[in-house]
Amino acid sequence: MPTRRSSAWRIEIYAVLGLIALLGILAMPLPFTGDQALFASGARQLAHGDVLYRDFWDVKQPGIYLFYLVGGQVFGYSEIAVHGFELGYQLVFATVLIVTLRRTFRHRWIGPLVALFVVGTYYATIEPVVLGQVESLIGLPLYLTVWCSLRALGGVQRGAIDAAATGQRRKRNRYRMLWLFASGLAGGAVVVLKLVIAPIVVGVWLLTAWELLRATRGRRIRSFASGTVAVAAGFAIPVAVVVAYLAVHGQLGTARWTYFSVTPQTTGIAGRPLSRLIDGSITTGVRWAVPIALALVGLSAAARKGWDRLELRLVVWLILGVPVFLVQHWWIYTFVMFLPPVGIFAGYGLDVIVSSWSTLRRPVHALAIAAVVVLLVPAAVRFAHNGRDVARHDFALSSSGRDALHRELEPNYTHATESAAWLRRTDQQDRGVYVLGNPLDLYLADRRQAVAVSGWSPQQFPQSVWARLRGELVAARPDDLVVDVTIDSIMRARSPETLKLIGERYVRVGGAGPDGWYQLRPGLPVTG
């Protein structure tokens, strides 16, 4: 028969998940920006038989396109459908946090609040550009990589592995290998989503190997070898699936060129203004003020009392996450990769505060409550801003309301809608189209791009990608071409050969705002 305490805990879980769901539902009508439109367009092409990197090329790993492909095939490719699919994914993450952390804190009711600190903060402070990004999805598999490694060692508290190494040794060793296999499987999923995150995964596994070696006296080599095999076996499954897909379609060479040649060049070519880093840091810090403040309390307490196994892995996540973050482009959505460890440390901090609450004086109580209220203001303002936008457009319940909301929050929607209408003005689906600019044009047109190289963010293209683009423009001969004025200026500075090729083969016939519309010159020879 359930106790009153267990019933209250279940009610808290339902309340937390319900609140997260409400926050996520509010975010579902938000528009796609260029990145999400790119992912949705690419996934839609893959659903129709195109091959990643051969028919649709982007520098990102396949995981993000697989996510949009699954969501699109199950629920559809509209903004609401894809954001709804992500909400389901984030609710799974919240549930995993609640279940796995239920015995971590001295006060059991803090566990569900961690899900609120992580997923609730994500949705309460969301803006369109952050939704559906790789960094927004990486938290679940990366956390599972951490948690499964803990289970392999016997739990969060240090010393538990020693008990697991005695008695029924063989059975417990199989149990350990299964959890290490699961950690490897989750780590492989992380790498399939974003290769640059790999150092964090490796850091977690190295810490696990170190603890395993320390605790298994007399069997260290055997324990290390069997653990390594288990992790490698799990890791190999998602990676092998991707490698097999690429090999079957002859894209292993293209993937290697993309990951290890093109990607390292993009950061230096595009540049990373310090103002972007400063603005993003300030904005994120202000919006996450409450979990950050509580996390600092948790970190301070852990440093004084000694780190448990989960805290050590969260510190590895944070420390190795800094260089991983710095080698990227510092867009505001990349900060989200730090939210899970910050949210979990916030749980530790809250646990410390609650445990010492009765020993504090009343003025301190009042000061602490006032501090929380003040720190909540930025997140509340952001949430209220999103709620106001959705509410004044009929809560996005009608197509006209959603269209007005999209145009207000994503200025490119207005011109993209016009360009999309031009791209789909004919029923001839085999008519080749290509957008050298914001993928919203292509996404709203629901057309297949004839050229594999994505026209999004060419300011990051090295010369090898510009050369591939020119070759594909000549070979594919798209009938209709959209060129953004910003991209036009980028070509003038970095690839005048591409601009010259377009001028020779196409004639401008109109445009929408900054988007120029071009058609293939009549009578053009088949070869360039």
Side-chain angles (χ1 to χ4, degrees), residues 135 194 196-197 199-200 263-264 266-268 271-274 276-278 280-281 317-331 334-335 337-338:
E135 288 77 7
K194 191 154 190 171
V196 75
I197 305 290
I200 302 176
T263 301
T266 60
T267 304
R272 294 171 295 174
L274 187 60
R276 184 190 299 162
L277 176 62
I278 294 172
S281 300
W317 186 332
L318 291 170
I319 291 176
L320 294 182
V322 171
V324 166
F325 172 86
L326 291 176
V327 300
Q328 299 182 71
H329 296 278
W330 307 342
W331 298 114
T334 54
F335 287 89
M337 64 182 286
F338 295 109

Side-chain angles (χ1 to χ4, degrees), residues 259-440:
Y259 302 160
F260 303 110
S261 179
V262 175
T263 301
Q265 299 177 58
T266 60
T267 304
I269 294 172
R272 294 171 295 174
L274 187 60
S275 59
R276 184 190 299 162
L277 176 62
I278 294 172
D279 291 345
S281 300
I282 293 173
T283 299
T284 302
V286 167
R287 291 177 179 175
W288 297 0
V290 170
I292 287 175
L294 291 173
L296 291 175
V297 174
L299 282 164
S300 176
R304 290 195 307 270
K305 70 175 177 58
W307 308 90
D308 66 32
R309 288 188 176 124
L310 177 57
E311 290 168 332
L312 281 173
R313 280 155 181 78
L314 296 177
V315 168
V316 167
W317 186 332
L318 291 170
I319 291 176
L320 294 182
V322 171
V324 166
F325 172 86
L326 291 176
V327 300
Q328 299 182 71
H329 296 278
W330 307 342
W331 298 114
I332 193 166
Y333 56 78
T334 54
F335 287 89
V336 181
M337 64 182 286
F338 295 109
L339 187 51
V342 167
I344 298 171
F345 266 121
Y348 279 102
L350 182 59
D351 204 22
V352 171
I353 293 172
V354 172
S355 297
S356 60
W357 189 257
S358 61
T359 65
L360 302 175
R361 297 180 179 180
R362 288 186 178 181
V364 178
H365 290 177
L367 184 62
I369 294 172
V372 170
V373 171
V374 170
L375 294 177
L376 271 174
V377 168
V381 168
R382 181 66 209 173
F383 171 71
H385 182 78
N386 284 341
R388 180 204 63 190
D389 290 338
V390 174
R392 70 183 181 186
H393 293 297
D394 302 325
F395 288 96
L397 295 175
S398 64
S399 58
S400 60
R402 289 191 295 273
D403 183 63
L405 177 67
H406 294 168
R407 290 171 184 266
E408 178 180 337
L409 298 184
E410 176 51 63
N412 289 313
Y413 250 89
T414 299
H415 299 134
T417 301
E418 297 177 34
S419 293
W422 179 73
L423 289 173
R424 62 170 182 264
R425 68 193 184 282
T426 173
D427 293 332
Q428 300 176 26
Q429 290 297 314
D430 59 345
R431 186 178 180 88
V433 304
Y434 182 59
V435 176
L436 196 52
N438 197 311
L440 276 171

